[in-house]
Amino acid sequence: MAIGKQRLGTSVLSLIASLRTVGRLPLATIQWVLATVYQLPLSEGGIVGALNTVARQGQPTVLAIRDRIRASPVVHADETGLRESGKNGYVWIWGTATERYFTRGGRGKGMVDEVLGEGFQGVLVTDFYAAYDHYAGLHQRCWAHLLREIHDLSRLYPDDQRLAAWAEQIRAVYDRGKAVTDPNPRRRQQRQQQLSKDLLAACHPYLTDQVAPQGKLCRRMARYLGELLTFVGDPAVPADNNAAERSLRPLVTQRNI
């Protein structure tokens, strides 16, 4: 079956789109595959036209995915730099357990409003990039990022005993949070509040310390204290943003290549 007046059917259009988006192949390579494997000679301009057709026909589905994400109780978000047609820009991923929505634009807070809209009331799971601060609702900041930074700091200062002890304290708070299995919402909220106090207590000695290696991370944790342990109060919220990072990984791989 062909779409409109063009000579390419839906199977060929789907193949071209898959080779480009999933296989991440250059236009010239797609041209070679079509000619060699399928005996279908097609110019690079024809391939671009096919991709534009797929994008145009798929737009209602894409917008429906965006709307379902806006209605979700938990949304992951992440961004990475990616040049397109010689121009710098950023690709953003917005996702749930079943949906992925990609946008491209700048790196400012306006992207948050553009995608989530005014009606979003869920939990936004992200790293510590300041643009996400713009969202006034509930957050969960990524513990995978935080623990990696603590690990890197410990490797940088292997002989600092205060740093090692502090790192163990922070990890212990996280582990206690992950171990909470109580289904009672009130008790989970109480546990979240207590762990937040424990986290702040571990950071308190270093909040004004400009010399201690952990001082900067402590000040960040104090700033985002109310957004670090949301996963304890709500078991539906993950403690990390790995889902969004995994969704961006193919684009990052393509960029690096």
Side-chain angles (χ1 to χ4, degrees), residues 2 4 9 18 77 81 127 141 191 223:
S18 297
D127 57 23
R141 300 291 176 162
R191 190 63 174 145
R223 177 182 177 184

Side-chain angles (χ1 to χ4, degrees), residues 12 15-20 23-42 44 47:
V12 176
L15 174 62
I16 292 173
S18 297
L19 291 174
R20 183 63 170 169
R24 305 190 297 278
L25 297 181
L27 296 178
T29 305
I30 296 175
Q31 186 181 35
W32 177 85
V33 169
L34 294 175
T36 305
V37 179
Y38 300 98
Q39 290 75 54
L40 176 61
L42 200 63
E44 289 192 12
I47 294 173

Side-chain angles (χ1 to χ4, degrees), residues 132-224:
Y132 300 115
D133 298 356
H134 179 61
Y135 174 58
L138 292 174
H139 289 256
Q140 172 62 58
R141 300 291 176 162
C142 180
W143 270 90
H145 280 80
L146 183 58
L147 293 174
R148 278 198 299 266
E149 290 191 66
I150 293 174
H151 175 71
D152 292 343
L153 203 59
S154 299
R155 292 186 63 185
L156 193 60
Y157 299 94
D159 300 323
D160 191 325
Q161 296 303 314
R162 294 179 71 203
L163 172 60
W166 171 81
E168 289 182 4
Q169 283 182 285
I170 301 302
R171 179 67 198 221
V173 172
Y174 170 73
D175 288 341
R176 291 200 299 271
K178 291 290 289 183
V180 174
T181 58
D182 193 329
N184 183 278
R186 184 179 62 82
R187 289 195 294 267
R188 291 190 71 103
Q189 289 291 331
Q190 291 174 341
R191 190 63 174 145
Q192 178 184 346
Q193 292 171 8
Q194 181 57 55
L195 290 173
S196 293
K197 292 178 181 178
D198 295 343
L199 199 60
L200 185 59
C203 289
H204 187 266
Y206 309 102
L207 293 179
T208 59
D209 193 330
Q210 301 299 321
V211 178
Q214 61 269 45
K216 183 177 179 180
L217 283 179
C218 282
R219 288 185 285 275
R220 181 198 296 173
M221 283 188 277
R223 177 182 177 184
Y224 293 105

Side-chain angles (χ1 to χ4, degrees), residues 62-102:
V62 171
L63 293 179
I65 291 173
R66 183 201 62 186
D67 291 342
R68 287 194 294 272
I69 286 175
R70 287 178 171 180
S72 174
V74 180
V75 171
H76 292 261
D78 201 2
E79 82 294 327
T80 190
L82 192 71
R83 288 174 63 84
E84 185 176 87
S85 301
K87 296 181 179 180
N88 292 330
Y90 289 85
V91 172
W92 298 64
I93 167 65
W94 310 83
T96 67
T98 57
E99 310 277 4
R100 298 292 184 272
Y101 179 71
F102 292 86

